[in-house]
Amino acid sequence: MLASPQLRAFNDIRIRFVSGAGRDAAAASGIDVTARLRCDQRGSFVEFVGHFSERDEAPAPFQEQFYLQRCQIFRIGPSTQLWIVNTVEDEANEAVYPRTFTAEFKSEESSDTFFDAIHSPNKGFFLSFETEVITEDDVSVAAMKLPNGSTEVAKDSSKFDKKIEASSAKMYFHYYGQLLHQQNMLQDYVRTGTYYAAVVENRADFQGRVVVDVGAGSGILSLFAAQAGAKHVYAVEASSMADYARKLIAGNHVLSQRITVIHGKVEDVELPEKADVLISEPMGTLLVNERMLESYIIARDRFLVPGGKMFPGLGRIHMAPFSDEYLFVEIANKALFWQQQSYYGVDLTPLHNAAFQGYFSQPVVDAFDPRLLVAPPAMHSLDLTSMKEEDLYDIVIPLTFTATMAARVHGIACWFDVLFNGSTIPRWLTTAPGAPTTHWYQLRLVLSQPLYVMAGQTITTRLHLSAHSAQSYTINLSMSTTSWGAGAGQGATIQSSSGKFDLKEPYYRMSQMPAYTWTQEQQLQDGAGVSLQGAQMSPYGA
């Protein structure tokens, strides 16, 4: 008989059981353990030793050993592993049942060392990653090594890290790691209600299916998918909100047995199986701000089975010229400060032109009256089921409008909608002016030099969006009008105007149309205007 020497011990590991019964269910909140790498005549195994408490009872000892030839181990985060173990229940007939748990290490280095140790051939540790069908809560789950790469998280810079500034990513994930900002999005009842309806009204797309929630945030969409009967949901979240998502999901015990929260980026993590459905809320201001659509498409290419469903699967940007003299004057007046010739004895006028252009370089985010539009809107579609990630790096949208009235055109108004193309009931989520207001509002690009148009005159427009490393876009807008009417010549350009905007730095305009017409008496009682919840407006527009 072989001796069973202790090869190595790893401390400060917390394991959480995802599936199983009895003590596994009692220990779902987590057990702090030490892992010992050992071997005997049956092979190499990992022994976990620790204590756990069940409700108000005294801590009980915990000791389990798992033979590596019966384990499938996946890296699902920098310091987190997913273990799927076929445990022998009956030595006589070798009957097995699955147990699934996550192992959370104190550091990425500790996780790497442990993972390398159990894969090291010179120590006799061999793992089987053959595809096999196991059972989780009486539901068949295919557990396999993904064909799109190693089960390890790449140790070099990920695709996300290579294209996004570290400082921008840090601020971004810090923002979405806070509950108050998640609450702002959850309280957008148009957004949350539409997602809920899209899922529960299309149960046929979720029932018995594997779902991946991309950028899960609080985990609300994962819970919706579980409510609709999903076999298992993998909630992938890169920010520290993953910890809150675990708590929220654990508090909904009936659903929690079918949801696994994975802390990491979709560009980096590996999953033990492919997904039948992707669900996500990747939309930012103007649909593309934050560049999360790219991560959504990467998740599609890495995890979605051919022909799988995407919620949403189509996005559309709508654009139309508008006329808003009040907005134009409001922006222009901001630069009046720099026209002072003796500000504490200092002449500020040398900076006036730069300040004037600076204010006009900010996209305006607010809700506006659709009657301000001077032409029917045009549309640019993004098919999220088939487009390439690189298609989002540089977006050129040529547009032609025909004015329906004589007006001074101040720029282009934009909004978006997305389609949840469910098998039973397709659902649209829109941010259009005149529709119920969402936390995305609408967006307007205001030119510092307006154009004058007459009814029937053509307005030629070009919108060019260039992605940058601060998770947003630089927008170049050009608009021009041509001669028109009888004897107007060959349609030569008679006016043109252009502007450059940074989608990362919008102007959140704290005013909104009232929901109904107020009487003069109501205005005197309640104030002259209706304010948006300005403190709740996201700087990221998601």
Side-chain angles (χ1 to χ4, degrees):
M1 179 181 293
L2 295 176
S4 54
Q6 179 176 320
L7 299 178
R8 187 158 186 179
F10 293 82
N11 300 315
D12 298 322
I13 304 172
R14 168 158 289 199
I15 62 174
R16 302 173 190 269
F17 283 91
V18 177
S19 68
R23 180 165 52 179
D24 288 3
S29 60
I31 312 169
D32 293 321
V33 299
T34 294
R36 298 169 181 165
L37 309 187
R38 306 173 72 92
C39 64
D40 60 17
Q41 72 276 14
R42 297 173 58 187
S44 303
F45 63 90
V46 178
E47 183 180 56
F48 292 105
V49 180
H51 291 83
F52 80 100
S53 299
E54 184 175 359
R55 296 185 174 89
D56 297 327
E57 297 181 5
F62 175 89
Q63 183 172 1
E64 293 279 1
Q65 61 185 39
F66 301 112
Y67 283 89
L68 297 180
Q69 63 266 31
R70 294 189 177 276
C71 298
Q72 298 176 88
I73 306 169
F74 303 91
R75 294 293 303 271
I76 61 174
S79 59
T80 306
Q81 301 170 9
L82 177 67
W83 286 57
I84 301 174
V85 183
N86 285 341
T87 305
V88 177
E89 185 178 54
D90 186 342
E91 292 287 353
N93 57 22
E94 289 289 306
V96 300
Y97 67 97
R99 301 175 71 184
T100 306
F101 62 90
T102 60
E104 301 169 10
F105 290 77
K106 186 175 183 179
S107 66
E108 182 176 354
E109 180 182 5
S110 179
S111 177
D112 288 344
T113 304
F114 182 86
F115 196 84
D116 291 342
I118 61 178
H119 283 78
S120 176
N122 61 5
K123 293 182 179 177
F125 295 134
F126 298 93
L127 296 184
S128 171
F129 286 97
E130 298 297 322
T131 300
E132 55 188 322
V133 176
I134 62 177
T135 301
E136 181 180 279
D137 291 337
D138 298 324
V139 179
S140 177
V141 178
M144 64 191 74
K145 178 180 177 181
L146 296 179
N148 60 346
S150 165
T151 55
E152 293 193 52
V153 176
K155 291 184 174 62
D156 57 350
S157 297
S158 71
K159 190 169 188 178
F160 178 91
D161 296 331
K162 289 177 180 177
K163 68 183 181 182
I164 300 300
E165 294 176 6
S167 58
S168 176
K170 182 178 180 180
M171 291 283 291
Y172 176 78
F173 291 127
H174 172 75
Y175 180 88
Y176 283 114
Q178 300 179 64
L179 280 175
L180 68 159
H181 300 307
Q182 295 292 327
Q183 179 179 337
N184 178 37
M185 293 184 287
L186 290 172
Q187 287 183 315
D188 180 345
Y189 299 112
V190 176
R191 164 198 180 267
T192 307
T194 302
Y195 267 92
Y196 180 76
V199 173
V200 299
E201 292 174 352
N202 292 285
R203 289 179 180 271
D205 294 323
F206 291 86
Q207 188 75 41
R209 307 297 175 86
V210 175
V211 179
V212 172
D213 182 358
V214 181
S218 66
I220 190 69
L221 301 185
S222 296
L223 290 162
F224 290 171
Q227 286 178 349
K231 178 169 61 178
H232 201 84
V233 184
Y234 296 96
V236 183
E237 172 57 38
S239 79
S240 59
M241 184 53 56
D243 294 331
Y244 291 110
R246 287 193 183 100
K247 291 181 181 179
L248 180 63
I249 290 167
N252 291 266
H253 183 68
V254 174
L255 303 175
S256 67
Q257 301 303 306
R258 291 180 283 122
I259 303 174
T260 300
V261 177
I262 299 171
H263 188 188
K265 304 183 186 76
V266 295
E267 292 86 351
D268 301 343
V269 304
E270 294 289 349
L271 303 181
E273 54 189 319
K274 287 283 192 177
D276 303 300
V277 181
L278 288 189
I279 190 168
S280 182
E281 195 267 74
M283 301 89 72
T285 306
L286 195 59
L287 184 59
V288 296
N289 188 39
E290 298 180 2
R291 300 184 64 181
M292 189 180 164
L293 282 177
E294 297 166 35
S295 296
Y296 187 41
I297 291 172
I298 289 172
R300 177 202 69 193
D301 294 341
R302 299 190 68 217
F303 304 133
L304 190 63
V305 299
K309 284 281 187 180
M310 296 180 71
F311 282 66
L314 175 69
R316 304 187 305 186
I317 301 174
H318 301 264
M319 298 145 285
F322 73 93
S323 179
D324 190 341
E325 197 68 38
Y326 290 103
L327 175 61
F328 177 81
V329 171
E330 177 184 330
I331 296 173
N333 283 347
K334 288 183 177 183
L336 290 178
F337 170 84
W338 298 96
Q339 287 190 331
Q340 298 180 80
Q341 294 180 335
S342 183
Y343 181 74
Y344 293 96
V346 176
D347 184 359
L348 301 182
T349 58
L351 297 181
H352 174 261
N353 287 339
F356 184 84
Q357 295 301 325
Y359 284 120
F360 276 97
S361 72
Q362 290 184 285
V364 177
V365 176
D366 70 348
F368 64 84
D369 190 328
R371 291 173 293 185
L372 296 175
L373 303 179
V374 301
M379 179 181 67
H380 180 75
S381 296
L382 300 176
D383 186 348
L384 304 175
T385 65
S386 61
M387 70 183 301
K388 298 177 181 178
E389 175 209 352
E390 292 78 12
D391 294 339
L392 291 165
Y393 292 177
D394 198 69
I395 304 171
V396 178
I397 309 174
L399 303 164
T400 301
F401 303 98
T402 301
T404 58
M405 64 184 75
R408 196 156 86 130
V409 174
H410 293 101
I412 287 287
C414 308
W415 60 95
F416 70 87
D417 53 30
V418 294
L419 172 64
F420 305 98
N421 194 21
S423 301
T424 306
I425 302 177
R427 276 274 182 177
W428 286 96
L429 170 58
T430 183
T431 63
T437 303
T438 70
H439 77 287
W440 289 285
Y441 301 92
Q442 293 98 42
L443 179 138
R444 286 185 282 178
L445 305 174
V446 186
L447 295 170
S448 60
Q449 181 60 54
L451 303 175
Y452 293 86
V453 299
M454 299 296 292
Q457 195 167 7
T458 297
I459 307 170
T460 302
T461 303
R462 185 177 186 270
L463 201 61
H464 182 192
L465 289 77
S466 299
H468 59 64
S469 60
Q471 292 174 275
S472 194
Y473 285 79
T474 298
I475 304 174
N476 285 281
L477 170 65
S478 62
M479 302 182 73
S480 62
T481 60
T482 58
S483 54
W484 65 286
Q490 303 300 315
T493 299
I494 56 175
Q495 295 179 87
S496 64
S497 184
S498 62
K500 184 176 182 179
F501 307 84
D502 187 354
L503 190 55
K504 181 81 170 182
E505 301 291 341
Y507 161 39
Y508 291 108
R509 193 168 180 238
M510 305 305 177
S511 62
Q512 178 184 356
M513 291 186 306
Y516 57 92
T517 303
W518 285 11
T519 65
Q520 185 175 7
E521 181 179 355
Q522 286 174 313
Q523 290 176 345
L524 291 173
Q525 291 175 350
D526 298 316
V530 181
S531 66
L532 295 175
Q533 292 74 34
Q536 298 180 5
M537 298 183 76
S538 163
Y540 296 99

